Amino acid sequence: MAITYEEVTPSLIPNTTMKKMLSNGLHRTYQITPIANYVLHDNVMDYPYQDPETMEETLKFGYSPSSVYKSCSATYDFTPHTVTDENGNTYTAYGNRDFFSIPEHIKGEECNV
């Protein structure tokens, strides 16, 4: 089985690099990596957080650093839409996993893998 990769230019998600993974010439997945000094949101990394003072539970957004790529199916629908994070910031996200990339200094130590 021959595995090859093709760069997607331009990337479908701003501030990322994307590659198509091909198996025997058939497109199987996309690899999405945030560019240097950016982090990538993927809602499969979101997690519940309970405020220790109020005991209120909220959903925190999860991010991966530029040293980690995420993958999705070749049939993934990258339709853009707007999402709002736990701090009220809005972003243009792509597809049902809400992919978007932001500068890492915005998230700092909150970045998780």
PDB file of all heavy atoms in Angstrom, residues 2-27:
ATOM      1  N   ALA A   2       0.707   2.115  -0.966  1.00  0.00           N
ATOM      2  CA  ALA A   2       1.498   3.330  -1.066  1.00  0.00           C
ATOM      3  C   ALA A   2       0.738   4.499  -0.445  1.00  0.00           C
ATOM      4  O   ALA A   2      -0.368   4.819  -0.855  1.00  0.00           O
ATOM      5  CB  ALA A   2       1.814   3.634  -2.525  1.00  0.00           C
ATOM      6  N   ILE A   3       1.359   5.108   0.567  1.00  0.00           N
ATOM      7  CA  ILE A   3       0.793   6.294   1.214  1.00  0.00           C
ATOM      8  C   ILE A   3       1.576   7.504   0.727  1.00  0.00           C
ATOM      9  O   ILE A   3       2.804   7.536   0.820  1.00  0.00           O
ATOM     10  CB  ILE A   3       0.893   6.203   2.750  1.00  0.00           C
ATOM     11  CG1 ILE A   3       0.207   4.944   3.289  1.00  0.00           C
ATOM     12  CG2 ILE A   3       0.353   7.471   3.399  1.00  0.00           C
ATOM     13  CD1 ILE A   3      -1.283   4.943   3.191  1.00  0.00           C
ATOM     14  N   THR A   4       0.858   8.505   0.218  1.00  0.00           N
ATOM     15  CA  THR A   4       1.485   9.748  -0.221  1.00  0.00           C
ATOM     16  C   THR A   4       0.683  10.925   0.332  1.00  0.00           C
ATOM     17  O   THR A   4      -0.454  10.762   0.778  1.00  0.00           O
ATOM     18  CB  THR A   4       1.554   9.840  -1.759  1.00  0.00           C
ATOM     19  OG1 THR A   4       0.231   9.721  -2.286  1.00  0.00           O
ATOM     20  CG2 THR A   4       2.444   8.746  -2.343  1.00  0.00           C
ATOM     21  N   TYR A   5       1.311  12.097   0.289  1.00  0.00           N
ATOM     22  CA  TYR A   5       0.673  13.315   0.799  1.00  0.00           C
ATOM     23  C   TYR A   5       0.780  14.411  -0.242  1.00  0.00           C
ATOM     24  O   TYR A   5       1.802  14.531  -0.920  1.00  0.00           O
ATOM     25  CB  TYR A   5       1.342  13.774   2.101  1.00  0.00           C
ATOM     26  CG  TYR A   5       1.196  12.770   3.206  1.00  0.00           C
ATOM     27  CD1 TYR A   5       2.133  11.756   3.381  1.00  0.00           C
ATOM     28  CD2 TYR A   5       0.100  12.813   4.068  1.00  0.00           C
ATOM     29  CE1 TYR A   5       1.989  10.820   4.384  1.00  0.00           C
ATOM     30  CE2 TYR A   5      -0.046  11.872   5.071  1.00  0.00           C
ATOM     31  CZ  TYR A   5       0.901  10.882   5.226  1.00  0.00           C
ATOM     32  OH  TYR A   5       0.749   9.948   6.219  1.00  0.00           O
ATOM     33  N   GLU A   6      -0.282  15.207  -0.348  1.00  0.00           N
ATOM     34  CA  GLU A   6      -0.298  16.362  -1.240  1.00  0.00           C
ATOM     35  C   GLU A   6      -0.684  17.587  -0.432  1.00  0.00           C
ATOM     36  O   GLU A   6      -1.682  17.557   0.300  1.00  0.00           O
ATOM     37  CB  GLU A   6      -1.320  16.183  -2.362  1.00  0.00           C
ATOM     38  CG  GLU A   6      -0.988  15.149  -3.386  1.00  0.00           C
ATOM     39  CD  GLU A   6      -2.054  15.036  -4.474  1.00  0.00           C
ATOM     40  OE1 GLU A   6      -3.037  15.821  -4.466  1.00  0.00           O
ATOM     41  OE2 GLU A   6      -1.900  14.148  -5.325  1.00  0.00           O
ATOM     42  N   GLU A   7       0.076  18.664  -0.588  1.00  0.00           N
ATOM     43  CA  GLU A   7      -0.228  19.929   0.082  1.00  0.00           C
ATOM     44  C   GLU A   7      -1.506  20.514  -0.515  1.00  0.00           C
ATOM     45  O   GLU A   7      -1.705  20.476  -1.731  1.00  0.00           O
ATOM     46  CB  GLU A   7       0.930  20.902  -0.112  1.00  0.00           C
ATOM     47  CG  GLU A   7       0.863  22.119   0.747  1.00  0.00           C
ATOM     48  CD  GLU A   7       1.593  21.940   2.070  1.00  0.00           C
ATOM     49  OE1 GLU A   7       2.388  21.007   2.217  1.00  0.00           O
ATOM     50  OE2 GLU A   7       1.342  22.765   2.952  1.00  0.00           O
ATOM     51  N   VAL A   8      -2.380  21.042   0.344  1.00  0.00           N
ATOM     52  CA  VAL A   8      -3.586  21.743  -0.101  1.00  0.00           C
ATOM     53  C   VAL A   8      -3.257  23.231  -0.083  1.00  0.00           C
ATOM     54  O   VAL A   8      -2.990  23.803   0.971  1.00  0.00           O
ATOM     55  CB  VAL A   8      -4.785  21.444   0.827  1.00  0.00           C
ATOM     56  CG1 VAL A   8      -6.007  22.245   0.396  1.00  0.00           C
ATOM     57  CG2 VAL A   8      -5.087  19.953   0.863  1.00  0.00           C
ATOM     58  N   THR A   9      -3.241  23.846  -1.273  1.00  0.00           N
ATOM     59  CA  THR A   9      -2.869  25.250  -1.389  1.00  0.00           C
ATOM     60  C   THR A   9      -3.923  25.989  -2.203  1.00  0.00           C
ATOM     61  O   THR A   9      -4.180  25.589  -3.335  1.00  0.00           O
ATOM     62  CB  THR A   9      -1.503  25.404  -2.074  1.00  0.00           C
ATOM     63  OG1 THR A   9      -0.553  24.599  -1.389  1.00  0.00           O
ATOM     64  CG2 THR A   9      -1.026  26.833  -2.069  1.00  0.00           C
ATOM     65  N   PRO A  10      -4.542  27.003  -1.637  1.00  0.00           N
ATOM     66  CA  PRO A  10      -4.379  27.460  -0.259  1.00  0.00           C
ATOM     67  C   PRO A  10      -5.114  26.526   0.706  1.00  0.00           C
ATOM     68  O   PRO A  10      -6.033  25.802   0.312  1.00  0.00           O
ATOM     69  CB  PRO A  10      -5.019  28.853  -0.264  1.00  0.00           C
ATOM     70  CG  PRO A  10      -6.075  28.763  -1.319  1.00  0.00           C
ATOM     71  CD  PRO A  10      -5.516  27.830  -2.368  1.00  0.00           C
ATOM     72  N   SER A  11      -4.707  26.592   1.968  1.00  0.00           N
ATOM     73  CA  SER A  11      -5.366  25.793   2.998  1.00  0.00           C
ATOM     74  C   SER A  11      -6.825  26.210   3.096  1.00  0.00           C
ATOM     75  O   SER A  11      -7.178  27.374   2.908  1.00  0.00           O
ATOM     76  CB  SER A  11      -4.669  26.011   4.349  1.00  0.00           C
ATOM     77  OG  SER A  11      -5.327  25.277   5.353  1.00  0.00           O
ATOM     78  N   LEU A  12      -7.695  25.272   3.413  1.00  0.00           N
ATOM     79  CA  LEU A  12      -9.126  25.557   3.548  1.00  0.00           C
ATOM     80  C   LEU A  12      -9.450  26.257   4.862  1.00  0.00           C
ATOM     81  O   LEU A  12     -10.545  26.802   5.025  1.00  0.00           O
ATOM     82  CB  LEU A  12      -9.929  24.258   3.438  1.00  0.00           C
ATOM     83  CG  LEU A  12      -9.721  23.467   2.138  1.00  0.00           C
ATOM     84  CD1 LEU A  12     -10.482  22.157   2.192  1.00  0.00           C
ATOM     85  CD2 LEU A  12     -10.117  24.290   0.931  1.00  0.00           C
ATOM     86  N   ILE A  13      -8.518  26.225   5.824  1.00  0.00           N
ATOM     87  CA  ILE A  13      -8.698  26.847   7.136  1.00  0.00           C
ATOM     88  C   ILE A  13      -7.561  27.846   7.335  1.00  0.00           C
ATOM     89  O   ILE A  13      -6.391  27.464   7.303  1.00  0.00           O
ATOM     90  CB  ILE A  13      -8.690  25.789   8.258  1.00  0.00           C
ATOM     91  CG1 ILE A  13      -9.787  24.761   8.025  1.00  0.00           C
ATOM     92  CG2 ILE A  13      -8.837  26.449   9.628  1.00  0.00           C
ATOM     93  CD1 ILE A  13      -9.702  23.553   8.933  1.00  0.00           C
ATOM     94  N   PRO A  14      -7.880  29.133   7.524  1.00  0.00           N
ATOM     95  CA  PRO A  14      -6.820  30.123   7.701  1.00  0.00           C
ATOM     96  C   PRO A  14      -5.865  29.764   8.846  1.00  0.00           C
ATOM     97  O   PRO A  14      -6.276  29.177   9.852  1.00  0.00           O
ATOM     98  CB  PRO A  14      -7.590  31.414   8.028  1.00  0.00           C
ATOM     99  CG  PRO A  14      -8.933  31.217   7.396  1.00  0.00           C
ATOM    100  CD  PRO A  14      -9.224  29.741   7.559  1.00  0.00           C
ATOM    101  N   ASN A  15      -4.605  30.114   8.669  1.00  0.00           N
ATOM    102  CA  ASN A  15      -3.544  29.915   9.665  1.00  0.00           C
ATOM    103  C   ASN A  15      -3.256  28.440   9.953  1.00  0.00           C
ATOM    104  O   ASN A  15      -2.846  28.088  11.058  1.00  0.00           O
ATOM    105  CB  ASN A  15      -3.858  30.679  10.957  1.00  0.00           C
ATOM    106  CG  ASN A  15      -4.052  32.144  10.693  1.00  0.00           C
ATOM    107  OD1 ASN A  15      -3.212  32.770  10.062  1.00  0.00           O
ATOM    108  ND2 ASN A  15      -5.165  32.696  11.123  1.00  0.00           N
ATOM    109  N   THR A  16      -3.464  27.616   8.948  1.00  0.00           N
ATOM    110  CA  THR A  16      -3.119  26.195   9.058  1.00  0.00           C
ATOM    111  C   THR A  16      -2.439  25.753   7.763  1.00  0.00           C
ATOM    112  O   THR A  16      -2.524  26.437   6.745  1.00  0.00           O
ATOM    113  CB  THR A  16      -4.359  25.288   9.254  1.00  0.00           C
ATOM    114  OG1 THR A  16      -5.160  25.283   8.053  1.00  0.00           O
ATOM    115  CG2 THR A  16      -5.193  25.706  10.440  1.00  0.00           C
ATOM    116  N   THR A  17      -1.777  24.613   7.848  1.00  0.00           N
ATOM    117  CA  THR A  17      -1.345  23.924   6.642  1.00  0.00           C
ATOM    118  C   THR A  17      -2.189  22.658   6.562  1.00  0.00           C
ATOM    119  O   THR A  17      -2.571  22.084   7.589  1.00  0.00           O
ATOM    120  CB  THR A  17       0.151  23.559   6.661  1.00  0.00           C
ATOM    121  OG1 THR A  17       0.418  22.729   7.789  1.00  0.00           O
ATOM    122  CG2 THR A  17       1.009  24.802   6.734  1.00  0.00           C
ATOM    123  N   MET A  18      -2.493  22.273   5.345  1.00  0.00           N
ATOM    124  CA  MET A  18      -3.306  21.072   5.154  1.00  0.00           C
ATOM    125  C   MET A  18      -2.650  20.180   4.109  1.00  0.00           C
ATOM    126  O   MET A  18      -2.061  20.665   3.149  1.00  0.00           O
ATOM    127  CB  MET A  18      -4.718  21.443   4.700  1.00  0.00           C
ATOM    128  CG  MET A  18      -5.525  22.170   5.746  1.00  0.00           C
ATOM    129  SD  MET A  18      -7.198  22.578   5.196  1.00  0.00           S
ATOM    130  CE  MET A  18      -7.927  20.951   5.084  1.00  0.00           C
ATOM    131  N   LYS A  19      -2.787  18.880   4.352  1.00  0.00           N
ATOM    132  CA  LYS A  19      -2.304  17.891   3.400  1.00  0.00           C
ATOM    133  C   LYS A  19      -3.395  16.861   3.172  1.00  0.00           C
ATOM    134  O   LYS A  19      -4.119  16.491   4.108  1.00  0.00           O
ATOM    135  CB  LYS A  19      -1.061  17.177   3.936  1.00  0.00           C
ATOM    136  CG  LYS A  19       0.135  18.061   4.089  1.00  0.00           C
ATOM    137  CD  LYS A  19       1.308  17.278   4.636  1.00  0.00           C
ATOM    138  CE  LYS A  19       2.505  18.191   4.840  1.00  0.00           C
ATOM    139  NZ  LYS A  19       3.626  17.465   5.421  1.00  0.00           N
ATOM    140  N   LYS A  20      -3.492  16.397   1.931  1.00  0.00           N
ATOM    141  CA  LYS A  20      -4.347  15.263   1.617  1.00  0.00           C
ATOM    142  C   LYS A  20      -3.501  14.015   1.791  1.00  0.00           C
ATOM    143  O   LYS A  20      -2.379  13.948   1.293  1.00  0.00           O
ATOM    144  CB  LYS A  20      -4.830  15.305   0.166  1.00  0.00           C
ATOM    145  CG  LYS A  20      -5.802  16.389  -0.151  1.00  0.00           C
ATOM    146  CD  LYS A  20      -6.196  16.283  -1.623  1.00  0.00           C
ATOM    147  CE  LYS A  20      -7.159  17.356  -2.029  1.00  0.00           C
ATOM    148  NZ  LYS A  20      -7.534  17.223  -3.448  1.00  0.00           N
ATOM    149  N   MET A  21      -4.025  13.022   2.508  1.00  0.00           N
ATOM    150  CA  MET A  21      -3.349  11.729   2.602  1.00  0.00           C
ATOM    151  C   MET A  21      -4.010  10.817   1.578  1.00  0.00           C
ATOM    152  O   MET A  21      -5.231  10.676   1.569  1.00  0.00           O
ATOM    153  CB  MET A  21      -3.475  11.133   4.000  1.00  0.00           C
ATOM    154  CG  MET A  21      -2.620   9.877   4.211  1.00  0.00           C
ATOM    155  SD  MET A  21      -3.347   8.342   3.608  1.00  0.00           S
ATOM    156  CE  MET A  21      -4.522   7.996   4.877  1.00  0.00           C
ATOM    157  N   LEU A  22      -3.174  10.264   0.702  1.00  0.00           N
ATOM    158  CA  LEU A  22      -3.674   9.369  -0.335  1.00  0.00           C
ATOM    159  C   LEU A  22      -3.143   7.961  -0.111  1.00  0.00           C
ATOM    160  O   LEU A  22      -1.962   7.780   0.200  1.00  0.00           O
ATOM    161  CB  LEU A  22      -3.264   9.875  -1.721  1.00  0.00           C
ATOM    162  CG  LEU A  22      -3.757  11.281  -2.040  1.00  0.00           C
ATOM    163  CD1 LEU A  22      -2.585  12.226  -2.134  1.00  0.00           C
ATOM    164  CD2 LEU A  22      -4.571  11.284  -3.285  1.00  0.00           C
ATOM    165  N   SER A  23      -4.008   7.004  -0.246  1.00  0.00           N
ATOM    166  CA  SER A  23      -3.630   5.590  -0.145  1.00  0.00           C
ATOM    167  C   SER A  23      -3.859   4.962  -1.514  1.00  0.00           C
ATOM    168  O   SER A  23      -4.998   4.932  -1.993  1.00  0.00           O
ATOM    169  CB  SER A  23      -4.485   4.892   0.915  1.00  0.00           C
ATOM    170  OG  SER A  23      -4.231   3.509   0.940  1.00  0.00           O
ATOM    171  N   ASN A  24      -2.765   4.520  -2.121  1.00  0.00           N
ATOM    172  CA  ASN A  24      -2.828   3.985  -3.483  1.00  0.00           C
ATOM    173  C   ASN A  24      -3.524   4.953  -4.425  1.00  0.00           C
ATOM    174  O   ASN A  24      -4.325   4.555  -5.275  1.00  0.00           O
ATOM    175  CB  ASN A  24      -3.506   2.615  -3.510  1.00  0.00           C
ATOM    176  CG  ASN A  24      -2.682   1.567  -2.816  1.00  0.00           C
ATOM    177  OD1 ASN A  24      -1.450   1.634  -2.822  1.00  0.00           O
ATOM    178  ND2 ASN A  24      -3.339   0.604  -2.210  1.00  0.00           N
ATOM    179  N   GLY A  25      -3.254   6.247  -4.240  1.00  0.00           N
ATOM    180  CA  GLY A  25      -3.800   7.267  -5.112  1.00  0.00           C
ATOM    181  C   GLY A  25      -5.194   7.752  -4.751  1.00  0.00           C
ATOM    182  O   GLY A  25      -5.688   8.695  -5.360  1.00  0.00           O
ATOM    183  N   LEU A  26      -5.855   7.126  -3.761  1.00  0.00           N
ATOM    184  CA  LEU A  26      -7.200   7.530  -3.347  1.00  0.00           C
ATOM    185  C   LEU A  26      -7.121   8.434  -2.125  1.00  0.00           C
ATOM    186  O   LEU A  26      -6.484   8.092  -1.130  1.00  0.00           O
ATOM    187  CB  LEU A  26      -8.055   6.307  -3.025  1.00  0.00           C
ATOM    188  CG  LEU A  26      -8.344   5.364  -4.186  1.00  0.00           C
ATOM    189  CD1 LEU A  26      -9.100   4.130  -3.692  1.00  0.00           C
ATOM    190  CD2 LEU A  26      -9.144   6.069  -5.261  1.00  0.00           C
ATOM    191  N   HIS A  27      -7.787   9.573  -2.215  1.00  0.00           N
ATOM    192  CA  HIS A  27      -7.807  10.528  -1.103  1.00  0.00           C
ATOM    193  C   HIS A  27      -8.598   9.926   0.052  1.00  0.00           C
ATOM    194  O   HIS A  27      -9.773   9.636  -0.072  1.00  0.00           O
ATOM    195  CB  HIS A  27      -8.424  11.836  -1.584  1.00  0.00           C
ATOM    196  CG  HIS A  27      -8.462  12.895  -0.555  1.00  0.00           C
ATOM    197  ND1 HIS A  27      -9.293  13.973  -0.641  1.00  0.00           N
ATOM    198  CD2 HIS A  27      -7.758  13.075   0.596  1.00  0.00           C
ATOM    199  CE1 HIS A  27      -9.128  14.761   0.402  1.00  0.00           C
ATOM    200  NE2 HIS A  27      -8.196  14.233   1.169  1.00  0.00           N
TER     201      HIS A  27
END
